[in-house]
Amino acid sequence: MIDEPQTALEVLAAFDAGTLTPEMYLDALLERCAQIEPDVHAWTYLDPQHAKAELAGANRTGILRGLPLGVKDLFHVRSMPRGCGSPIYAGEISAVDASVVTLARLAGGYAMGKTQTTEFATYTPAPTRNPMSLAHTSGGSSSGSAAAVAAGMVPLAFGTQTAGSVIRPAAYCGIVGYKPSFNLIDTSGVKELSRSFDTIGVFARSVSDAALLVDAVTGQSFLNATKGADAPSVLGLCRSPVWGMVEPDMQNAWDALCAMLQTKTVVRDIVLDDRYERAIEAHPKIMAQEASQALAYERENHPELLSPALKSMLDEGRARSDVEQHADLQNMSQLRHCFETDLGDTPIFITPSAPGAAPLYETGTGSPAFNRLWSLLGGPCVTVPGLKVSDGRPLGVQVVGPIGWDAKVLNVATWLADILAGFD
Amino acid sequence: MIDEPQTALEVLAAFDAGTLTPEMYLDALLERCAQIEPDVHAWTYLDPQHAKAELAGANRTGILRGLPLGVKDLFHVRSMPRGCGSPIYAGEISAVDASVVTLARLAGGYAMGKTQTTEFATYTPAPTRNPMSLAHTSGGSSSGSAAAVAAGMVPLAFGTQTAGSVIRPAAYCGIVGYKPSFNLIDTSGVKELSRSFDTIGVFARSVSDAALLVDAVTGQSFLNATKGADAPSVLGLCRSPVWGMVEPDMQNAWDALCAMLQTKTVVRDIVLDDRYERAIEAHPKIMAQEASQALAYERENHPELLSPALKSMLDEGRARSDVEQHADLQNMSQLRHCFETDLGDTPIFITPSAPGAAPLYETGTGSPAFNRLWSLLGGPCVTVPGLKVSDGRPLGVQVVGPIGWDAKVLNVATWLADILAGFD
């Protein structure tokens, strides 16, 4: 029935037309999971009976009216285990729902299961493979949410981004990832990593689907911004200050894309000054210091259960000077404030979602270098698929804007996704 | 032994001199609790054996080296119950420590017990009475932390402020309350109410003690700023935009204080323009909307266990237009950014900590009107005791500055506290 995975909006249309029921849809998804999951390892918890019980209790009205959701294993979902990608919390059952899960339920969504995360949303990989190419990573830290949506095991999923944990895995898996403006979605009940950056984001198979899920939990009407998207009057092209890390495949695809976009609208190169370059370097330092506080309990009580990489990040964070941290946070606040002004009449731009396509699974979850600055600036990012390397692995391009520009970024992402769907 | 409660620094000096051990000190405090607590009701959980076990496991080095702490019942403390002032969580035992508790333990502190909070740090009163006058409230929401420190049952305690929940109860109870700059202390493991405002603060019997505890959990060295405080070269006097709510007792005390301070330093009236007035009105609206998300699980799953007042606040928050919320948050961000510049060469000022002295217990926990703006602006506030109404109830005056000016605010608060100690 769903050999070619449908978008959430297509599924809802079928629900409304009576050609599909939420129960039939869940059965089909569970069957697909039974086939695919043994190779992909997208889920930390997927119990068909529990998923059916969740659906039985779901609200059949609301904008999600019976749609299943994948939920990153950093979030509390009542009566499901939450492990945070760490043996410290293995087997712990949540007593409550994270706020965003409650809000999704109110809108008619339900939790189909929990999806893999790297260790506390940092670097130690989850077992998840990229469904587009099993030898490769699905990215991190929201490894399972990206893979589950890309593999057609669930139509929509929640993740979080602190450095590059929504945009990068979505790009690697060839789907849409949307990191909304910082603080747009409440993070209560989601394990903290870095309070200045932690942002709930979503994975979907279309820009409209991503907008739909964020609308469901915020009361916004971003879905409207994805209807009938015309070319933006001007579009920024941003090689970003870390362009030196770009891989040849991405560079070629980027050049071809920019050449083509010049024929569709006015394009303008975005060059960011050295305050922004310095902010990229500040991001991992701010994050390490905040993580050393957010994970203080784990660091002090279970050091033997932390990976050496995480332990070393927390030690670096703990050793950081308060004067430097304060100065970096002040600069961040200043940049968040003036970014919109600095962009002038070109507030929306595109930039690669990652240095290249998904690396081999054994090498880790890839680099967040092309995401750190946008996480620090706090504005919306939407990665859209369509570009590919020669072996078929996806390359992502993200549309980015200043804080509060979510509707316009989604609008431009819709336009870009349409173009890329026909681009070779 | 501690009929006249000592400051934390005096206790540490006695530990260092060998004239007092942490065990003797805890025994004396527990004895005092046995006498006073039946009238005050500051604690939700105080088990002498558990407190002794906490001390037995405490780190005897570090800047707190064996000092007991009161912890507001919004915070997780491992193996102690956490109730959040609500029947929804009654009897729930925490499996982990909040980050700030871990950090306090590392510095040699330990949790003596859990202190009363209003319902989820909002308005429904805790049973706590003001130890200075049992017919009156100790304020809210950190009702128990303020009362326990004021009554000499514990030398230091943690609380949180979202509207006025540290400064107001400290003022009502005649002690020092310190709300640090927003985001200075990590809130992981503390029940969320409003992500734009929630701030961990501390209660103490001197400004130095308050600085000591914040130093312990942040690695700052604010204690230095409280040594040898000279008069500031200029001090702002701010009647604040809600001056219409001031009570006659406070107005008289304020006028006398301002007249006296003119003889000690250069004073300047701080008059804030109407952007700041509008921000005071925006504060409860932003807070209600964010609370409706942070408490979404409780609102949807246990509506019958919420007080009507909280339920109605959450309903209002949920009904709020996103456009209005976004505009108010943008204005807040703008004001946080320009407050320091707007204050010009008078960055530090004093303003009343509350409209007057503690009201009668039956009337609620008092008004946060004199705190909302400073919580919204995110800067440090330190309330100092010394002023009184004719029946002896304390009146608080707070020293306030822009975000990041904690050291200077603590310095001026030390100077002011010394003056007020000799003021009549």
Side-chain angles (χ1 to χ4, degrees):
Chain A
M1 169 188 298
I2 48 165
D3 277 354
E4 194 60 35
Q6 297 169 291
T7 66
L9 285 167
E10 287 166 351
V11 171
L12 289 174
F15 288 174
D16 294 346
T19 57
L20 184 69
T21 66
E23 285 75 14
M24 291 158 62
Y25 182 56
L26 176 58
D27 285 343
L29 292 177
L30 290 170
E31 197 177 314
R32 191 173 177 95
C33 289
Q35 292 162 14
I36 294 176
E37 172 63 2
D39 294 323
V40 173
H41 308 291
W43 302 89
T44 57
Y45 179 76
L46 179 65
D47 176 315
Q49 293 317 311
H50 197 155
K52 287 175 186 178
E54 280 264 330
L55 171 57
N59 175 7
R60 302 302 174 94
T61 58
I63 70 175
L64 301 179
R65 47 189 185 287
L67 276 187
L69 304 170
V71 184
K72 187 177 185 178
D73 198 30
L74 288 184
F75 297 51
H76 280 304
V77 175
R78 184 168 43 167
S79 79
M80 291 189 182
R82 183 178 84 153
C84 300
S86 167
I88 297 172
Y89 293 104
E92 186 183 288
I93 307 294
S94 296
V96 299
D97 285 325
S99 285
V100 72
V101 172
T102 295
L103 296 169
R105 288 190 196 285
L106 267 178
Y110 68 92
M112 184 165 142
K114 303 291 293 289
T115 57
Q116 294 281 359
T117 173
T118 61
E119 183 188 22
F120 295 115
T122 60
Y123 307 113
T124 308
T128 311
R129 299 296 179 128
N130 192 314
M132 304 297 109
S133 169
L134 293 175
H136 295 86
T137 179
S138 67
S141 64
S142 308
S143 320
S145 287
V149 170
M153 294 193 277
V154 70
L156 296 166
F158 288 118
T160 58
Q161 176 156 324
T162 302
S165 290
V166 167
I167 297 301
R168 178 165 100 264
Y172 286 169
C173 292
I175 57 173
V176 170
Y178 167 28
K179 179 196 88 67
S181 288
F182 182 69
N183 249 351
L184 187 71
I185 302 180
D186 191 279
T187 58
S188 303
V190 179
K191 183 70 180 166
E192 299 90 346
L193 176 61
S194 174
R195 59 192 179 275
S196 295
F197 307 132
D198 290 347
T199 304
I200 293 177
V202 299
F203 296 87
R205 284 197 288 269
S206 74
V207 179
S208 296
D209 278 9
L212 174 85
L213 181 52
V214 172
D215 285 357
V217 296
T218 61
Q220 301 281 347
S221 39
F222 292 149
L223 184 57
N224 288 338
T226 67
K227 289 176 181 158
D230 295 324
S233 56
V234 55
L235 179 68
L237 309 176
C238 182
R239 290 188 159 207
S240 97
V242 290
W243 195 252
M245 294 182 65
V246 78
E247 294 170 14
D249 281 334
M250 175 62 90
Q251 173 137 19
N252 293 338
W254 174 259
D255 290 343
L257 174 66
C258 292
M260 186 269 288
L261 289 174
Q262 281 188 45
T263 68
K264 308 275 186 187
T265 185
V266 178
V267 297
R268 221 168 266 169
D269 283 329
I270 303 285
V271 180
L272 297 168
D273 65 37
D274 57 358
R275 293 172 304 152
Y276 292 92
E277 282 196 49
R278 285 197 302 272
I280 296 186
E281 288 161 31
H283 177 279
K285 298 177 189 169
I286 296 173
M287 179 175 142
Q289 198 264 8
E290 294 187 340
S292 78
Q293 296 176 356
L295 298 175
Y297 175 79
E298 292 80 5
R299 189 189 76 205
E300 294 304 320
N301 294 279
H302 300 288
E304 76 290 357
L305 297 178
L306 297 176
S307 69
L310 178 54
K311 210 159 165 304
S312 129
M313 182 181 107
L314 300 181
D315 288 344
E316 277 164 38
R318 206 181 155 207
R320 183 155 213 238
S321 114
D322 293 304
V323 175
E324 282 174 15
Q325 183 77 0
H326 180 70
D328 282 340
L329 287 170
Q330 289 286 101
N331 288 339
M332 176 186 87
S333 157
Q334 175 74 30
L335 288 181
R336 281 189 181 182
H337 209 76
C338 66
F339 187 43
E340 182 176 333
T341 310
D342 287 350
L343 289 170
D345 60 1
T346 313
I348 310 293
F349 58 90
I350 62 168
T351 189
S353 300
L360 286 169
Y361 176 79
E362 287 69 24
T363 66
T365 65
S367 165
F370 281 77
N371 312 105
R372 288 189 185 278
L373 181 57
W374 322 125
S375 291
L376 181 137
L377 292 169
C381 303
V382 178
T383 181
V384 295
L387 302 180
K388 289 185 172 59
V389 298
S390 52
D391 68 3
R393 276 175 297 141
L395 289 170
V397 174
Q398 59 185 323
V399 182
V400 180
I403 284 189
W405 284 71
D406 295 68
K408 188 63 186 165
V409 163
L410 288 161
N411 182 262
V412 173
T414 306
W415 167 80
L416 182 65
D418 287 348
I419 291 176
L420 289 181
F423 183 62
D424 244 334
Chain B
M1 170 186 301
I2 49 166
D3 277 353
E4 195 59 36
Q6 296 168 288
T7 65
L9 285 167
E10 287 166 350
V11 171
L12 289 174
F15 287 174
D16 295 345
T19 56
L20 184 69
T21 66
E23 287 72 16
M24 291 160 62
Y25 182 55
L26 176 58
D27 285 343
L29 292 176
L30 289 170
E31 197 177 313
R32 192 172 176 96
C33 289
Q35 292 162 15
I36 295 176
E37 174 62 4
D39 293 325
V40 173
H41 308 290
W43 303 89
T44 57
Y45 179 76
L46 179 66
D47 175 314
Q49 292 317 311
H50 197 155
K52 288 175 186 178
E54 281 264 332
L55 171 56
N59 174 7
R60 300 304 173 94
T61 59
I63 70 176
L64 302 179
R65 49 189 183 285
L67 276 186
L69 306 169
V71 183
K72 186 177 185 178
D73 198 29
L74 289 185
F75 296 52
H76 279 304
V77 175
R78 185 167 43 167
S79 79
M80 291 190 180
R82 184 179 82 154
C84 300
S86 166
I88 297 172
Y89 294 104
E92 186 182 288
I93 307 294
S94 295
V96 299
D97 285 327
S99 284
V100 73
V101 173
T102 295
L103 296 169
R105 289 190 194 285
L106 267 178
Y110 68 92
M112 185 166 141
K114 303 292 294 286
T115 57
Q116 293 282 358
T117 173
T118 61
E119 182 189 22
F120 295 114
T122 61
Y123 308 112
T124 309
T128 311
R129 300 296 180 127
N130 193 314
M132 306 295 111
S133 169
L134 294 174
H136 295 85
T137 179
S138 66
S141 64
S142 309
S143 319
S145 288
V149 171
M153 295 194 276
V154 71
L156 296 166
F158 289 118
T160 58
Q161 176 156 324
T162 303
S165 290
V166 167
I167 298 301
R168 177 167 101 263
Y172 286 169
C173 291
I175 57 172
V176 170
Y178 167 28
K179 178 195 89 66
S181 287
F182 181 69
N183 248 351
L184 187 71
I185 302 180
D186 192 280
T187 58
S188 302
V190 179
K191 184 72 182 165
E192 300 90 345
L193 177 61
S194 174
R195 61 192 177 276
S196 295
F197 308 131
D198 291 348
T199 304
I200 292 176
V202 299
F203 296 86
R205 283 197 289 269
S206 75
V207 179
S208 296
D209 278 10
L212 175 83
L213 181 52
V214 171
D215 284 357
V217 296
T218 61
Q220 301 280 348
S221 41
F222 293 150
L223 183 58
N224 288 337
T226 67
K227 290 176 180 158
D230 294 325
S233 56
V234 56
L235 179 69
L237 308 175
C238 182
R239 292 185 158 208
S240 96
V242 290
W243 195 251
M245 293 181 67
V246 78
E247 293 170 15
D249 280 333
M250 175 61 88
Q251 172 136 21
N252 294 338
W254 174 259
D255 290 344
L257 173 66
C258 293
M260 186 269 287
L261 289 175
Q262 280 187 45
T263 69
K264 308 275 185 186
T265 186
V266 178
V267 297
R268 221 167 265 169
D269 283 329
I270 303 284
V271 180
L272 298 168
D273 64 38
D274 56 0
R275 292 171 307 151
Y276 292 92
E277 284 195 47
R278 285 197 304 272
I280 297 185
E281 288 162 31
H283 177 279
K285 297 177 190 171
I286 295 172
M287 178 176 143
Q289 198 264 9
E290 293 187 340
S292 79
Q293 295 176 358
L295 298 175
Y297 175 79
E298 293 79 5
R299 187 190 80 204
E300 294 303 321
N301 294 281
H302 301 287
E304 77 289 357
L305 297 178
L306 298 176
S307 70
L310 178 54
K311 211 160 165 302
S312 125
M313 182 181 106
L314 299 182
D315 288 344
E316 277 164 37
R318 208 180 154 207
R320 183 152 215 239
S321 116
D322 294 301
V323 175
E324 283 173 14
Q325 182 78 0
H326 180 68
D328 282 340
L329 287 170
Q330 289 285 103
N331 288 338
M332 175 186 88
S333 157
Q334 174 74 33
L335 289 180
R336 280 189 181 181
H337 210 75
C338 66
F339 188 43
E340 183 177 333
T341 310
D342 287 351
L343 289 170
D345 60 0
T346 315
I348 311 293
F349 58 90
I350 61 168
T351 189
S353 301
L360 286 168
Y361 176 81
E362 287 69 23
T363 65
T365 64
S367 164
F370 281 78
N371 312 105
R372 288 188 185 279
L373 181 57
W374 322 125
S375 292
L376 181 137
L377 292 170
C381 303
V382 178
T383 181
V384 294
L387 301 179
K388 289 185 172 58
V389 301
S390 52
D391 67 5
R393 277 175 299 142
L395 289 170
V397 175
Q398 60 186 322
V399 182
V400 181
I403 284 190
W405 285 70
D406 295 67
K408 188 66 188 163
V409 163
L410 287 160
N411 181 262
V412 173
T414 306
W415 167 80
L416 182 64
D418 286 348
I419 291 176
L420 289 180
F423 184 62
D424 242 335

